[in-house]
Amino acid sequence: MLTSTTPPAPIAGAAPRVTGAAPQPTGTASPTCGFARWAPDPGAAAVPLMRSRVRAVLDGWRVTAELADVLLLAVSELVGNVVLHAGPVGRMRVGVSLRGGWIQLDVTDGAARLPRLPHPRTEADPDAESGRGLLIVQLMTAEIGGQLSVIAEEFGKTVRVRVPAA
């Protein structure tokens, strides 16, 4: 059943488009499908904003703490990468969906340059100040049976995290 939720209060710089399964009363089953999408400005404030919004949706879906931790880390890293590497391109979309037993997090930007997904056995340079975010997301996602992928699109790309909902 897909029902509408009340979106969080508007915050400057983010145009929320939220629909999804409403929070369930105590003692009832978690929803089986739902989705939420936002189009925030790709500035530094987008990272905590999107983390908060995704957390609210996951709480409504009654996602386990372990799964929520992985998805919240992923949204922070992926939105941070857009801000750092693609921000000037001027658009970003963040979406989370629950369907068919899977939770999917998509972060889309308008930059044509694709990130290189690290090989899971790659060792990070211990002296590097950055470059570990995608590797960490990939390892944590794989640990719970999910996957990290990049989809090239006509006007940019989407970095997707897909994990089992249960």
Side-chain angles (χ1 to χ4, degrees), residues 39-101:
D41 291 331
V47 176
L49 173 64
M50 289 299 94
R51 185 176 171 91
S52 173
R53 298 263 172 106
V54 169
R55 178 188 302 274
V57 171
L58 297 176
D59 286 349
W61 290 342
R62 300 180 61 178
V63 170
T64 66
E66 177 187 16
L67 184 54
D69 286 347
V70 171
L71 291 165
L72 293 172
L73 170 75
V75 76
S76 296
E77 288 294 333
L78 300 180
V79 170
N81 284 349
V82 172
V83 171
L84 185 62
H85 301 291
V89 174
R91 74 178 186 95
M92 172 173 41
R93 288 188 322 254
V94 177
V96 63
S97 63
L98 169 62
R99 180 173 30 149

Side-chain angles (χ1 to χ4, degrees), residues 91-115:
R91 74 178 186 95
M92 172 173 41
R93 288 188 322 254
V94 177
V96 63
S97 63
L98 169 62
R99 180 173 30 149
W102 291 86
I103 296 178
Q104 183 170 296
L105 170 68
D106 289 333
V107 177
T108 303
D109 66 63
R113 186 168 160 242
L114 299 177

